[in-house]
Amino acid sequence: MIIPTHAPTSAPVGRLAPSPSGRMHLGNAFSALLAWLSVRSAGGELVLRLEDLDPQRCKRAWCDQVEEDFRWLGLDWDRGGSQGGADYYQSNRGEIYEHYLHILEEKGLIYPCFCTRGQLHAASAPHRSDGTPIYPGLCRNLSQAERRERAKTRSPALRVRVPDRTISFEDGLQGFFAQNLAEECGDFILRRSDGVFAYQLAVVVDDALMGVTEVVRGEDLLDSTPRQLWLQEELGFDHPRYCHVPLLYGADGHRLSKRQRDVDLAAIRASGTAPEAVIGQLACWAGLLERPEPVRPAELIGDFRWQRVRRERVVVE
Ligand code: GLU
């Protein structure tokens, strides 16, 4: 069965959802530009949500830097960010995630998992397409007594029990995508053993509560979408429409990372490059301009159509 995602009958609500775990690079700006253009060309609304769930990896200074970088590029938003207050920072939304986790728990879908990383790697289970092992179910059917015993020495992560079901949907850019949850994804973590909520739960809850109807993000998350569609169904939420945009790769064949200085936005900015030059380059990579001429995001709105956006990976020379 293909899950029908949101039909764009009314103006879309989109979002910019950066993870402030470092400074932004051109790849982050590339997906942000496309998310922005998609919403602005349809007269919709944009929300800025800071995905700072992991306190060890995310810093408030990087949240502020992301906002400053978006502003510098000319990408604005209507709701959220620092002006929206604490509600738009995932690190402040733990009680909300707890509430929805509890709903899943009541449905019998949650179980504690005591496995260590080492155990999981040793279990020689099949791997997901992103290279992470599919959970082999070691803690799936522990008795209450076993759970009590193990909890004495280790605080568990919480996993959700996925059904043996194939979830499919039509991505706005990549087309038809299907995944069998049991075989290709496996039971996944919703709360880590240190109490930090997982991205998969937070993103589903936030997109729903923030009224998001359109999700534009990097293709690395295409693989996460079936489990998010399924969680939305279990929690009684509507499904947004999804567009997964190509990732940017360096000439060495690796994805751009936050550690590479030459593609770091703050460094590009400090070198005196104009924001229009960056936007022109991004738009050219996206297939929206023939040549990388300097341009402001607002000037691209009129001609923006998803049919013009390339699907293949972009290699940054
Ligand atoms: N926070 C994620 C990132 O910056 C994006 C998550 C999403 O768009 O669902 O890669």
Side-chain angles (χ1 to χ4, degrees):
M1 184 192 79
I2 302 188
I3 295 204
T5 49
H6 196 271
T9 44
S10 50
V13 178
R15 44 44 156 215
L16 302 172
S19 296
S21 58
R23 305 195 315 184
M24 272 213 287
H25 61 65
L26 288 178
N28 307 126
F30 181 78
S31 23
L33 173 64
L34 290 170
W36 188 91
L37 283 172
S38 182
V39 165
R40 290 287 177 248
S41 64
E45 192 191 12
L46 259 165
V47 180
L48 172 60
R49 177 173 76 231
L50 283 311
E51 303 214 320
D52 59 346
L53 275 175
D54 187 339
Q56 266 139 32
R57 294 180 58 223
C58 299
K59 289 195 191 141
R60 177 62 199 237
W62 283 329
C63 293
D64 298 342
Q65 176 81 48
V66 167
E67 285 200 3
E68 218 183 295
D69 288 340
F70 282 150
R71 278 200 202 94
W72 179 74
L73 287 169
L75 304 177
D76 61 350
W77 54 95
D78 308 295
R79 193 153 48 96
S82 52
Q83 284 194 328
D87 283 355
Y88 290 91
Y89 292 76
Q90 289 188 327
S91 56
N92 293 320
R93 297 173 61 80
E95 278 177 29
I96 301 174
Y97 306 140
E98 188 72 56
H99 171 79
Y100 287 97
L101 184 71
H102 190 66
I103 294 179
L104 298 170
E105 208 155 24
E106 301 260 276
K107 296 179 119 185
L109 291 172
I110 303 294
Y111 64 90
C113 172
F114 299 91
C115 294
T116 61
R117 204 173 284 235
Q119 272 171 311
L120 293 180
H121 281 280
S124 74
H127 286 63
R128 290 193 192 124
S129 59
D130 66 1
T132 54
I134 294 175
Y135 185 60
L138 303 173
C139 293
R140 206 174 208 239
N141 299 313
L142 296 181
S143 66
Q144 287 304 340
E146 281 170 314
R147 285 181 182 154
R148 270 196 304 277
E149 196 47 39
R150 293 192 192 194
K152 285 182 190 159
T153 52
R154 189 172 164 81
S155 57
L158 297 180
R159 275 186 198 272
V160 64
R161 204 181 282 278
V162 299
D164 182 5
R165 211 181 119 189
T166 297
I167 303 279
S168 47
F169 73 105
E170 196 64 35
D171 185 80
L173 193 59
Q174 308 296 336
F176 180 81
F177 187 78
Q179 184 182 76
N180 179 286
L181 288 181
E183 284 166 23
E184 296 170 77
C185 171
D187 296 348
F188 53 98
I189 291 185
L190 293 188
R191 204 181 70 193
R192 295 189 334 204
S193 58
D194 61 2
V196 172
F197 287 96
Y199 156 72
Q200 304 292 350
L201 178 66
V203 76
V204 162
V205 168
D206 289 348
D207 282 340
L209 299 192
M210 295 177 184
V212 169
T213 62
E214 177 181 289
V215 172
V216 176
R217 59 188 180 190
E219 203 195 336
D220 50 329
L221 291 166
L222 184 59
D223 183 71
S224 286
T225 308
R227 73 193 102 151
Q228 294 176 10
L229 288 165
W230 172 67
L231 283 178
Q232 285 155 6
E233 200 176 285
E234 289 296 337
L235 292 169
F237 296 147
D238 287 342
H239 304 295
R241 144 186 143 94
Y242 290 90
C243 290
H244 288 87
V245 305
L247 301 178
L248 267 48
Y249 285 77
D252 60 0
H254 288 105
R255 269 175 60 190
L256 299 192
S257 93
K258 289 184 176 167
R259 288 178 297 278
Q260 275 167 279
R261 223 179 138 64
D262 50 342
V263 294
D264 172 322
L265 260 193
I268 292 173
R269 192 172 158 183
S271 73
T273 307
E276 293 82 3
V278 176
I279 295 290
Q281 181 60 258
L282 297 174
C284 180
W285 284 332
L288 299 173
L289 286 183
E290 267 174 44
R291 277 178 306 280
E293 314 143 33
V295 67
R296 283 181 296 115
E299 294 172 78
L300 296 167
I301 294 175
D303 282 339
F304 179 80
R305 282 186 307 284
W306 276 108
Q307 292 87 318
R308 297 182 53 210
V309 177
R310 65 184 287 163
R311 286 180 205 181
E312 314 80 45
R313 66 161 65 175
V314 177
V315 178
V316 175
E317 299 293 345

